[in-house]
Amino acid sequence: MTNRTALGTAMALALTVPSLAAAQDLLVFDYSGFETPEFHQPFIDQHGASPEFVFFGDEDEAFQRLLAGFRSDVTHICAGSVPRWQESGIIEAWDRSRIDAYETLNSDLLGSDVRAGSADLMWVPTDFGSTAIAYNAETVPAEDVASLQIFTNPAYAGRLSIPDNVDDAYALAYLATGVTDWTNATDEQFEAATAWLRQIHPNLLNYWVDPGEIAQLMASGQVQAAWVWNEVPVALADEGFPVGFQRNTTEGTSVWLCGYVNMANGEGSEDQAYDFINAMHAEVSAGPLLDNGFGTANDAALQALGAEALEAAGLGPVTVPVLAQLPMSNEQRERQAEAFERIKSGF
């Protein structure tokens, strides 16, 4: 990266967070909400202001804008997208030696090849959460959510929901069909997971789009059990709803993970890019992230918050296999996305 002299596009100017105090040498392309100062307070302490933030709605939008010429310095994406971005040539590797918390990052979030140093560090995890079954604890017996096969149970037809998200959907389907590592899924395993998703389609009320939507459907009683992110049961519990969150299903549970990529053509400060990542990993950032439903990838900082806080946020320890939503090949992800769209359309 070289020092930025201009944002480069009118769109960037229009969508930049208005802040006279913004640090002008780093532009962060991100989901709305991650500009929260408490998430990167050490960066503010060091530079006197937050980085400049520009927001996108989803990662495909972000990808297309970057291919069209918009320039950022670091971009927030989830693990499943990394191979596609890497193959496009728009990102470059991070330097492990400049990631202060690298040795205490959760190894399950990095992947064994990256941890061993046999693969370039193309993406740095910063935040993660769990996906599991939330259910109405007053109307759904605990034994019914002991297995992911509740989604195939005709007794709950029309009262179930899963995310309108290909990664979460296939994490569920792979687990339900006996796969706990999707990075090397075979054709047969993909076909079995796809068939399982097709099997549960008639049982679903809908494919939920955002956490507020599924929380409302559960609170109204329309949905009795759903495959959700950990922030959903936390929000429902805060409202006094009798929600359960079953992460120890027989087949296992899932963890989604997101982080930042280093943009190859960024015009800002490379030093500030590392300062930002290190601020996100800082111990002081762990509490604010958890309060908003996100676990920090810095396991040392996360564990320092205590078991009670982690359990309350839906991120406590589990005794079953965990499918981490690690990067997969672009071909595999596209195949899953195509199949998922067909299933949602009834085919």
Side-chain angles (χ1 to χ4, degrees):
M1 296 180 186
T2 57
N3 189 47
R4 186 194 348 271
T5 57
L7 289 178
T9 69
M11 182 179 293
L13 287 169
L15 294 177
T16 300
V17 176
S19 172
L20 295 176
Q24 297 300 309
D25 287 332
L26 187 72
L27 193 151
V28 180
F29 202 18
D30 217 324
Y31 292 99
S32 178
F34 277 89
E35 76 280 10
T36 301
E38 290 79 12
F39 291 179
H40 58 267
Q41 187 61 47
F43 182 97
I44 298 172
D45 295 341
Q46 185 175 1
H47 297 285
S50 290
E52 199 162 9
F53 283 88
V54 175
F55 302 128
F56 54 79
D58 60 49
E59 290 172 27
D60 186 62
E61 173 200 337
F63 185 69
Q64 295 304 325
R65 286 174 60 184
L66 288 160
L67 289 181
F70 172 63
R71 291 188 176 184
S72 67
D73 299 318
V74 297
T75 303
H76 199 176
I77 66 173
C78 296
S81 297
V82 176
R84 179 189 188 194
W85 290 53
Q86 184 174 355
E87 289 174 15
S88 75
I90 64 175
I91 63 175
E92 61 187 14
W94 292 99
D95 181 347
R96 288 172 172 80
S97 69
R98 300 186 68 180
I99 306 296
D100 292 347
Y102 183 77
E103 294 303 323
T104 56
L105 294 182
N106 187 323
S107 59
D108 290 336
L109 307 183
L110 275 171
S112 58
D113 290 345
V114 173
R115 172 59 78 188
S118 57
D120 287 336
L121 184 64
M122 300 304 299
W123 167 87
V124 178
T126 53
D127 51 289
F128 77 96
S130 60
T131 310
I133 302 176
Y135 62 100
N136 186 325
E138 288 186 347
T139 59
V140 179
E143 56 267 26
D144 285 2
V145 291
S147 167
L148 298 177
Q149 301 308 325
I150 186 174
F151 291 99
T152 67
N153 188 338
Y156 292 96
R159 298 187 295 165
L160 302 164
S161 183
I162 70 171
D164 188 4
N165 178 292
V166 62
D167 291 340
D168 280 311
Y170 267 90
L172 169 62
Y174 278 125
L175 283 167
T177 53
V179 176
T180 57
D181 180 359
W182 71 10
T183 60
N184 56 5
T186 65
D187 289 345
E188 291 76 14
Q189 289 170 332
F190 162 72
E191 293 296 344
T194 301
W196 191 86
L197 285 174
R198 187 170 288 113
Q199 178 186 358
I200 72 169
H201 174 75
N203 276 356
L204 303 179
L205 174 69
N206 74 334
Y207 295 86
W208 62 265
V209 175
D210 64 73
E213 174 192 4
I214 188 59
Q216 185 176 8
L217 287 171
M218 292 194 68
S220 70
Q222 290 176 268
V223 169
Q224 294 294 298
W227 186 241
V228 303
W229 304 328
N230 57 288
E231 64 191 87
V232 173
V234 172
L236 285 168
D238 286 344
E239 296 173 3
F241 183 79
V243 63
F245 193 46
Q246 176 56 277
R247 296 180 64 213
N248 285 291
T249 49
T250 302
E251 301 88 348
T253 191
S254 183
V255 170
W256 54 262
L257 45 150
C258 301
Y260 289 85
V261 287
N262 192 1
M263 305 310 299
N265 294 319
E267 297 177 337
S269 166
E270 185 82 351
D271 289 339
Q272 287 195 15
Y274 285 95
D275 292 342
F276 177 74
I277 295 299
N278 290 330
M280 287 287 294
H281 286 155
E283 185 170 347
V284 70
S285 303
L289 283 166
L290 193 66
D291 289 342
N292 285 270
F294 308 111
T296 174
N298 182 352
D299 197 52
L302 184 67
Q303 298 306 321
L305 298 175
E308 185 176 344
L310 298 185
E311 191 64 37
L315 295 175
V318 294
T319 58
V320 296
V322 176
L323 186 152
Q325 296 180 26
L326 291 166
M328 66 181 71
S329 71
N330 193 35
E331 292 77 16
Q332 181 183 350
R333 195 166 192 273
E334 288 184 352
R335 183 166 62 161
Q336 291 176 181
E338 181 180 350
F340 188 49
E341 288 304 314
R342 287 181 56 81
I343 290 167
K344 288 189 298 177
S345 299
F347 296 101

